[in-house]
Amino acid sequence: MAMTDLLSAEDIKKAVGAFSAAESFNYKKFFEMVGLKNKSPEDVKKVFHILDKDQSGFIEEEELKFVLKGFTPEGRDLSDKETKALLAAGDKDGDGKIGAD
């Protein structure tokens, strides 16, 4: 399954472009811009599984660094600071990874 099976290619392009500058990534705005806020929990889980490159059931810090590339190959890598902020926002139990729930 490709990301564009779930989200609009145009929305992905706009969102990735909006955060192309280093240190500009805002996960709340990004996920809103790509349309995830309007998706069902099932569709959000499908996006999660696409981003979970090693299919471990979790998105670890190393996978988060490349989250924009998970939406489109043209995406940039997140900085360490941006990656840690995204991990902190999604890691509800403090285990250093984000689960699908």
Side-chain angles (χ1 to χ4, degrees), residues 29-90:
K29 287 182 183 176
F30 178 80
F31 293 139
E32 185 176 321
M33 288 179 76
V34 295
L36 276 176
K37 290 206 174 230
N38 300 323
K39 293 295 179 181
S40 69
E42 294 80 24
D43 282 346
V44 172
K45 282 188 179 185
K46 288 176 186 174
V47 169
F48 176 91
H49 291 296
I50 293 170
L51 296 174
D52 179 15
K53 297 297 184 192
D54 65 2
Q55 298 301 300
S56 65
F58 297 95
I59 299 176
E60 295 86 2
E61 187 171 345
E62 191 58 32
E63 290 170 315
L64 283 178
K65 185 175 200 81
F66 307 112
V67 72
L68 295 179
K69 287 183 178 171
F71 284 87
T72 180
E74 291 79 33
R76 68 173 175 89
D77 295 347
L78 297 183
S79 70
D80 289 343
K81 181 180 174 185
E82 291 169 317
T83 302
K84 288 184 186 315
L86 180 53
L87 180 62

Side-chain angles (χ1 to χ4, degrees), residues 9-27:
E10 187 63 29
D11 289 346
I12 292 170
K13 183 177 179 179
K14 285 180 187 176
V16 170
F19 300 104
S20 61
E23 303 300 336
S24 67
F25 186 68
N26 178 308
Y27 63 89

